[in-house]
Amino acid sequence: MQDIIIIGAGIIGSTVFYELTKQPVSVTILEKNLDAGLEVTGHNSAIIHSGIDPTDGTLKAKYNILAVPIYEAYCKELETPYKRIGAYVVAKHPDELDHLYELQSRALKRNVPVELLTRDVALQNEPYLSDSIVGALDMPTTAIIQPTHLSQQAIKKGVKNGGVAKFDTKVLKIIKANNHFEVHTNKGVFESRLVVNASGLYASEIEQMVSKPSFNLHYRRGEYLVLSDQASYVTSRIFYPVPSPLGKGVLFVPTIDGKFLIGPNALDVKTIEDNIVTEAGIHEVKDKILKMMKNIPFQYEINTFSGLRPRVDSDDFILSESPYVKHFFNFVGIESPGISSAPAIAYDMVHSLLIPSLNSLE
Ligand SMILES: Cc1cc2nc3c(=O)[nH]c(=O)nc-3n(C[C@H](O)[C@H](O)[C@H](O)COP(=O)(O)OP(=O)(O)OC[C@H]3O[C@@H](n4cnc5c(N)ncnc54)[C@H](O)[C@@H]3O)c2cc1C
């Protein structure tokens, strides 16, 4: 019998696993794929956002802000790359300037360093921005990581600390016994006193193995195209448009391995099987980036991919015990800024929720 079973080795399950292995508890993580971080965690922009975007009072804001100052040291501890490359939020029309001022004042309140740039200064620094831009907000603390590698390192180091990781192990059924759970998989039955549901896009399926639904999960697709490192002369920064209610918009993002991502768009889809790249989606992405930039070397396109955002009705993370089943925890609805928030979520969930819950059983 383990103290805790975590279902899902995305960035959330893996970092919670690693944090738990530093505590005097037994923990097993079950992952249906052959390695960690291959689903939502492997299909995104990989940005550590500065923390000025999420709305006040949300868990998204709380954990993004808490994680930014510790992220570099956390990556060092996990021996995974982290690069603080900075970003510009770019206003394309005069009516977007108000939004830049709003972001600037939110940054001030949250102690995030930013600087408002005139059009001329922004263009001088970044000549591939469109001539029609009207200003930009410089966010020097924005960074990039490799989320799949970070998750794999968290598992590797957690296993060194004594945790157990089982890959190619799909959870098929969960039985709640008197004071423990039986987790049935294709590789046998595992028992634990607590269960953490960190299964990303499959979170409803896992919850409904133990209870009626406590949340509705929706999927929002984002498509990208990838440019090779031959485009490296364009910039070393991230460019964001001014955000809209649908999200952060189509970005230009350098990657840790020297490539560039252009995307994502945002389309609500019905099923996980809708996680595909479409011609229309890539067309939309190209169209939108050309409103913010010019002379993009699309001839260096080498790939496309898509990812699905797991969203819940509250538009915020769910990080809590199930309202229906004691000692069953849902860490779900983790869309952006999930990557940016992961180390802070892991620390807080372990120390404020999971360890106290285990102690209450003793
Ligand atoms: C287009 C897009 C762009 C994004 N950009 C950013 C960004 O720039 N910055 C940022 O901070 N965030 C970003 N995000 C959000 C971020 O990617 C997610 O918040 C994060 O990856 C969610 O991680 P997770 O661990 O919850 O889910 P996942 O990574 O999906 O992990 C869940 C794991 O559970 C496993 N699993 C599922 N069912 C079972 C089962 N039955 N048995 C065993 N294992 C199971 C899956 O195989 C998977 O490995 C973006 C997301 C998208 C889609």
Side-chain angles (χ1 to χ4, degrees):
M1 165 93 73
Q2 293 283 284
D3 289 322
I4 303 178
I5 284 176
I6 300 169
I7 303 170
I11 196 165
I12 299 301
S14 302
T15 52
V16 169
F17 172 75
Y18 175 56
E19 194 58 42
L20 279 169
T21 64
K22 298 175 183 172
Q23 311 304 317
V25 300
S26 55
V27 53
T28 292
I29 189 162
L30 306 175
E31 167 56 52
K32 67 181 170 60
N33 293 326
L34 295 177
D35 211 335
L38 300 180
E39 302 242 339
V40 185
T41 296
H43 299 86
N44 55 65
S45 309
I47 301 173
I48 308 308
H49 299 295
S50 68
I52 64 172
D53 189 38
T55 311
D56 278 330
T58 59
L59 295 176
K60 289 179 176 178
K62 172 179 171 178
Y63 290 111
N64 192 165
I65 292 165
L66 281 173
V68 166
I70 61 170
Y71 227 112
E72 186 170 12
Y74 190 74
C75 287
K76 210 168 190 181
E77 179 179 326
L78 287 180
E79 297 177 274
T80 188
Y82 168 98
K83 273 193 201 165
R84 190 178 293 127
I85 58 174
Y88 283 0
V89 184
V90 178
K92 304 182 294 294
H93 308 289
D95 53 359
E96 288 183 342
L97 281 174
D98 277 351
H99 205 120
L100 280 196
Y101 301 140
E102 206 179 293
L103 286 174
Q104 185 192 29
S105 80
R106 209 187 274 168
L108 213 68
K109 281 190 212 132
R110 294 181 184 180
N111 270 328
V112 178
V114 295
E115 189 186 351
L116 210 49
L117 305 179
T118 62
R119 167 192 183 276
D120 290 350
V121 171
L123 272 172
Q124 205 174 358
N125 296 344
E126 295 292 352
Y128 284 81
L129 288 175
S130 161
D131 294 325
S132 61
I133 69 159
V134 295
L137 191 68
D138 182 9
M139 304 189 296
T141 54
T142 307
I144 50 170
I145 62 158
Q146 217 306 356
T148 297
H149 188 254
L150 186 153
S151 308
Q152 293 172 353
Q153 288 295 97
I155 296 289
K156 200 167 113 188
K157 296 207 176 248
V159 168
K160 260 195 191 152
N161 290 346
V164 177
K166 298 280 184 192
F167 291 100
D168 199 15
T169 302
K170 182 174 181 177
V171 173
L172 303 170
K173 184 168 87 172
I174 306 173
I175 296 173
K176 170 88 171 99
N178 263 351
N179 52 7
H180 70 280
F181 294 88
E182 281 176 12
V183 180
H184 293 247
T185 76
N186 58 326
K187 296 280 176 75
V189 181
F190 299 81
E191 292 182 338
S192 66
R193 302 199 291 163
L194 311 187
V195 168
V196 173
N197 174 13
S199 59
L201 298 169
Y202 302 84
S204 293
E205 207 174 282
I206 296 293
E207 171 175 69
Q208 285 166 44
M209 292 179 187
V210 291
S211 77
K212 62 182 177 179
S214 68
F215 54 84
N216 295 313
L217 200 64
H218 311 282
Y219 315 114
R220 182 171 285 171
R221 185 170 74 209
E223 291 159 87
Y224 294 85
L225 63 90
V226 185
L227 303 184
S228 78
D229 58 5
Q230 287 167 288
S232 64
Y233 58 86
V234 171
T235 184
S236 57
R237 280 196 182 86
I238 299 161
F239 300 145
Y240 298 84
V242 167
S244 80
L246 264 186
K248 295 179 188 69
V250 172
L251 326 174
F252 194 83
V253 192
T255 68
I256 284 286
D257 58 357
K259 301 190 185 86
F260 293 86
L261 308 180
I262 303 180
N265 59 352
L267 182 73
D268 290 329
V269 296
K270 291 227 163 4
T271 69
I272 296 174
E273 286 68 46
D274 289 321
N275 193 4
I276 53 168
V277 178
T278 63
E279 218 173 289
I282 295 302
H283 190 78
E284 179 189 351
V285 159
K286 285 185 173 171
D287 227 40
K288 287 193 166 151
I289 201 74
L290 283 170
K291 295 201 160 65
M292 180 167 70
M293 295 176 66
K294 60 177 183 281
N295 301 331
I296 298 171
F298 288 117
Q299 70 271 24
Y300 298 139
E301 177 178 336
I302 49 169
N303 202 2
T304 58
F305 72 92
S306 67
L308 292 189
R309 305 161 178 95
R311 320 191 62 240
V312 289
D313 296 336
S314 64
D315 208 19
D316 201 3
F317 302 151
I318 294 176
L319 298 163
S320 56
E321 190 171 31
S322 155
Y324 305 123
V325 181
K326 243 187 135 25
H327 306 124
F328 183 91
F329 295 85
N330 288 310
F331 297 171
V332 306
I334 315 290
E335 56 176 336
S336 189
I339 301 289
S340 313
S341 309
I345 291 177
Y347 187 87
D348 201 30
M349 290 304 105
V350 167
H351 296 277
S352 315
L353 209 57
L354 299 177
I355 299 289
S357 175
L358 265 183
N359 290 341
S360 77
L361 283 169
E362 275 152 13

